[in-house]
Structure formats: structure tokens, C-alpha cells
């Protein structure tokens, strides 16, 4: 809100957790633009399609009840994670994400991730852009898939990652745990 007041153009893309905002459709509040997808032109000359990504999650689309159970279990793991890391902190061990570990240990989750990455990349290809920027699956990544640059910012509640664009058009994933003693 402060950035928007100070003349920064803020673009907000709702996802499955703030889906109610989608009912507003495309909307503009002051300097904040509400959209479902948008194309970003990078200083490296490429165009990137940006979307949250839940549009390509079959569980969210077809089995809402399972998504709700998963969402509850996820919140529980995140809460438990706080205690685990308080304990680790006592023993001066570095921050460690329980939920990221739990997800990564499940082989099916890995298949799910690669399917998701491929589906979004082929969607981007169908839109004639050079890359896709998304989130949703909480797994930060930058990789090339059939000539499309797939980029996922990860999340700020579990793995603490962010995606940044440098002025020369380079993209990078920042990892909070690598840059702090927490
Ligand atoms: Mn999501």
C-alpha cells in the first residue's frame, strides 16, 4: 500500500488462497491493479506470462475437498515447523523447513512438480511468450523447458524464497535462509 502511494505501480495476482478477490474481475484501486494474468516485458527483451498457477492444479480444480484437507494439514505442518525451528535455534542449528522436507521426500510430489512445470511452460508457449512466472506449488525454480524459461518464485511462508529481476534482465532466486542467521 505504501509503495502504491509513493507512485510504484503494484500489480496483484490473486491465487487460490485469496480467490474471493477474483470475483472483482480486472480492477484498479489507486495504483494497485488486480489481474489474473499479465505479460511482463523484461529488459532482456523477453516477454513473460505471469500467473499464480493454481489454474493448472488438477487437485484444486477437480477435488476441492481434498484441497481443503491438504490446506488444513499444511497449516498444521507450518505451525509445528515453528516449534521445530525454535528448538533448533536453542541448539544453534540453522533454519530448516519441515514442510519443504516432507513434500520433497514424497516421490509423487516430485512427479507433481515436474508435471506442473511442464504444463505451465507449454501454456506459455501457446501464448507466444518466452517464459512463464508463477508460484502456487511453493517450490522455487528457474529452468528451461522446451525453449521456455520456467520461473517459480517459491513462497515467503515456508521456504522463504523470492524471484528478482536484475536491471540487466538476469533473473535470480533469493533464499532468505542463506542470507541470515535465523
Ligand atoms: Mn496457491
Amino acid at each position: 500500500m505504501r509503495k502504491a502511494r509513493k507512485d510504484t505501480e503494484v500489480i496483484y495476482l490473486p491465487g487460490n488462497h485469496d480467490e474471493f478477490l477474483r470475483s472483482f474481475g480486472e480492477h484498479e484501486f489507486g495504483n494497485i491493479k488486480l489481474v489474473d494474468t499479465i505479460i511482463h516485458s523484461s529488459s532482456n527483451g523477453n516477454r513473460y506470462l505471469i500467473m499464480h498457477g493454481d489454474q493448472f492444479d488438477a487437485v484444486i480444480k477437480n477435488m476441492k475437498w481434498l484441497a481443503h484437507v491438504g490446506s488444513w494439514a499444511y497449516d498444521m505442518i507450518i505451525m509445528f515447523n515453528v516449534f521445530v525451528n525454535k528448538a533448533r535455534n536453542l541448539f544453534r542449528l540453522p533454519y530448516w523447513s519441515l514442510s519443504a522436507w516432507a513434500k520433497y521426500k514424497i516421490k509423487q510430489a516430485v512427479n507433481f512438480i515436474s508435471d506442473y512445470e511442464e504444463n505451465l511452460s507449454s501454456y506459455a508457449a501457446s501464448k507466444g511468450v518466452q517464459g512463464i512466472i508463477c508460484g502456487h506449488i511453493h517450490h522455487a525454480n528457474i529452468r528451461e523447458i522446451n525453449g521456455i524459461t520456467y520461473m517459480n518464485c517459491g513462497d515467503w511462508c515456508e521456504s522463504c524464497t523470492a524471484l528478482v529481476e536484475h536491471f540487466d534482465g538476469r533473473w535470480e532466486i533469493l533464499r532468505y535462509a542463506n542470507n541470515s542467521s535465523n
Side-chain angles (χ1 to χ4, degrees), residues 14-18 22 52-54 57 60 116 135-138:
N16 50 301
H17 290 282
D18 43 13
R22 283 183 169 143
H52 181 73
D54 58 311
D57 184 336
I60 298 265
Y116 176 88
H136 184 59
I137 57 169
H138 299 236

Side-chain angles (χ1 to χ4, degrees), residues 5-54:
R5 272 203 305 276
K6 306 270 181 192
D7 282 340
T8 300
E9 188 190 11
V10 178
I11 297 167
Y12 189 107
L13 290 88
N16 50 301
H17 290 282
D18 43 13
E19 201 163 28
F20 65 97
L21 288 170
R22 283 183 169 143
S23 54
F24 290 101
E26 303 235 321
H27 215 89
E28 234 175 302
F29 311 89
N31 242 356
I32 301 177
K33 204 189 271 176
L34 199 64
V35 295
D36 225 33
T37 63
I38 196 159
I39 288 179
H40 171 65
S41 297
S42 173
S43 54
N44 64 18
N46 286 341
R47 289 161 75 240
Y48 299 96
L49 177 67
I50 310 182
M51 62 197 301
H52 181 73
D54 58 311

